[in-house]
Amino acid sequence: DFLKQGHGMLLLYTLKNPSFPEYSFSSESGVMCLDFHSHHPYLLAVGFYDGNVAIYNLKKASSQPSYKSSAKSGKHTEPVWQVKWQKDDMDNNCNFFSVSSDGRIVSWTLVKNELVHMDVIKLSADGSTMQGPEGLQLQTLGSGTSFDFHKKIDYLFLVGTEEGKIYKCSKSYSSQFLDVFEAHNMPVDSISWNPFHLKVFISCSSDWTVKIWDHTIKTPMFVYDLSTAVGDVAWSPYSSTVFAAVTIDGQAHVFDLNINKLEPLCTQLVVTRKKNKTTHIQFNPVYPIIIVGDEQGLITCLKLSPNLRKKPKEKKGQEVKKGPEVEIAKLEKLLSLVREPGSKE
């Protein structure tokens, strides 16, 4: 409830000690999202319910963030739903992006002692039109809920909105977007590019579905109906065809398209309390572990059983190829089955 602002907590745990956090920070407003910097893992970007963003430096023995936005310096007017670090800019300054229900996507750069902000895209909320591709006037109703940047094409990113649309945007055009997908009937809860295949992304929504897309095609390649609202979806870091999703009925689902294109390999109840909902899921980048977060503030850590991470069988005398090319080819083969015949690559 935006009027009854409560305080928030930021807790850092190690898997070795689940009962007590290594670090804990208290904040005036609830913490909505966070992201670790990939090269400077002690830097943590955080987005708050009151629209602020902050950076915590874990090297400093301080309970306050090292940097924080303010009403003067471009804070969002509504909750921040996602923050993501980007590559350092030309001057080697660290920078991250944030998306909020206020329709702004903002880039924040650490310059000396302050956070400098720049609006990258504004999804206008007053129902006005804006120039779309080929001079189309598009109705924009924007309140962003999730976004993701392309792993290789630096300027390209996707934004999911509360209306269920997904916008394909470029960092270089602030008032235009490149394309729009009529993706879901309800808010897009999570969206992410495949870590291996450069064209593919996945989205999930409260409309019960998970959809897999090729960003050059307007209709989804695969659609999964999970019979209840989907809170989050994540690609696995080790296989291009494996992803996991959580639904609000407390279940985690693991799919491998390479083994079964229609059904999850595993569906497991993670939280048992009736009123509790599972809200987030993430793969560990190295170990076969996933973590699931829920509305009661509990985090459950699960290990993937060996049959959920099967590798292709070795044929006698042949080495099984490994590496990104193999992962790309594996997913490409599946996509070629569902692409329309005659549509060019």
Side-chain angles (χ1 to χ4, degrees), residues 162-181:
E162 264 171 39
E163 302 77 50
K165 289 187 171 65
I166 294 173
Y167 293 97
K168 185 161 80 172
C169 305
S170 159
K171 288 185 198 171
S172 32
Y173 301 111
S174 59
S175 62
Q176 294 184 325
F177 39 85
L178 308 173
D179 216 337
V180 58
F181 299 87

Side-chain angles (χ1 to χ4, degrees), residues 12-224:
L12 286 93
Y13 284 90
T14 163
L15 287 174
K16 292 174 182 163
N17 180 4
S19 54
F20 202 77
E22 302 283 298
Y23 296 88
S24 69
F25 300 96
S26 189
S27 60
E28 289 152 30
S29 175
V31 178
M32 303 300 292
C33 52
L34 45 86
D35 191 28
F36 279 106
H37 197 294
S38 52
H39 300 308
H40 312 295
Y42 51 87
L43 289 181
L44 187 57
V46 174
F48 294 102
Y49 188 71
D50 64 5
N52 273 312
V53 295
I55 291 176
Y56 287 86
N57 184 341
L58 304 177
K59 282 185 169 179
K60 292 186 176 163
S62 153
S63 61
Q64 292 307 311
S66 305
Y67 299 87
K68 190 170 179 192
S69 62
S70 66
K72 282 185 194 153
S73 66
K75 82 179 256 272
H76 291 282
T77 50
E78 286 192 47
V80 180
W81 291 110
Q82 221 171 348
V83 287
K84 289 236 164 133
W85 287 103
Q86 282 295 286
K87 284 190 194 126
D88 293 359
D89 68 7
M90 303 292 191
D91 307 322
N92 291 340
N93 293 322
C94 294
N95 69 99
F96 69 94
F97 282 64
S98 60
V99 65
S100 159
S101 328
D102 66 1
R104 288 164 60 223
I105 288 163
V106 181
S107 125
W108 304 86
T109 310
L110 301 190
V111 182
K112 292 187 178 120
N113 299 325
E114 57 176 347
L115 269 181
V116 179
H117 78 282
M118 188 184 86
D119 284 19
V120 182
I121 273 203
K122 203 166 168 42
L123 305 165
S124 56
D126 51 7
S128 64
T129 55
M130 68 195 238
Q131 283 294 111
E134 294 161 15
L136 295 170
Q137 290 293 323
L138 291 167
Q139 283 288 331
T140 63
L141 267 167
S143 45
T145 52
S146 51
F147 69 147
D148 195 23
F149 288 90
H150 199 281
K151 310 284 186 281
K152 291 281 190 296
I153 308 169
D154 198 40
Y155 60 85
L156 191 65
F157 65 100
L158 298 165
V159 183
T161 62
E162 264 171 39
E163 302 77 50
K165 289 187 171 65
I166 294 173
Y167 293 97
K168 185 161 80 172
C169 305
S170 159
K171 288 185 198 171
S172 32
Y173 301 111
S174 59
S175 62
Q176 294 184 325
F177 39 85
L178 308 173
D179 216 337
V180 58
F181 299 87
E182 300 287 341
H184 293 280
N185 307 325
M186 284 175 80
V188 180
D189 291 317
S190 179
I191 184 166
S192 67
W193 292 100
N194 186 290
F196 296 98
H197 196 295
L198 299 181
K199 282 188 175 175
V200 179
F201 67 91
I202 196 166
S203 64
C204 74
S205 164
S206 313
D207 69 2
W208 301 10
T209 58
V210 170
K211 298 187 181 184
I212 294 176
W213 306 78
D214 173 328
H215 81 82
T216 58
I217 299 174
K218 280 295 190 63
T219 51
M221 293 282 167
F222 293 97
V223 178
Y224 297 97

Side-chain angles (χ1 to χ4, degrees), residues 264-276:
L265 295 186
C266 159
T267 293
Q268 184 168 325
L269 197 64
V270 180
V271 302
T272 44
R273 263 204 225 136
K274 274 282 188 312
K275 290 205 173 128
N276 196 355

Side-chain angles (χ1 to χ4, degrees), residues 280-343:
H280 279 295
I281 189 162
Q282 277 280 304
F283 280 85
N284 182 297
V286 182
Y287 302 109
I289 299 173
I290 50 177
I291 48 173
V292 175
D294 67 34
E295 279 201 337
Q296 301 282 328
L298 296 173
I299 293 168
T300 310
C301 182
L302 304 155
K303 186 171 178 185
L304 296 166
S305 61
N307 63 339
L308 293 181
R309 41 180 213 273
K310 276 183 188 149
K311 294 279 182 278
K313 288 199 172 79
E314 293 190 26
K315 290 185 180 140
K316 262 194 173 158
Q318 284 184 349
E319 269 187 53
V320 168
K321 296 188 180 114
K322 289 193 177 77
E325 292 78 20
V326 181
E327 292 299 335
I328 293 167
K330 189 165 75 170
L331 185 50
E332 185 54 49
K333 189 174 155 193
L334 291 166
L335 293 176
S336 61
L337 300 173
V338 291
R339 281 197 186 103
E340 283 151 29
S343 76

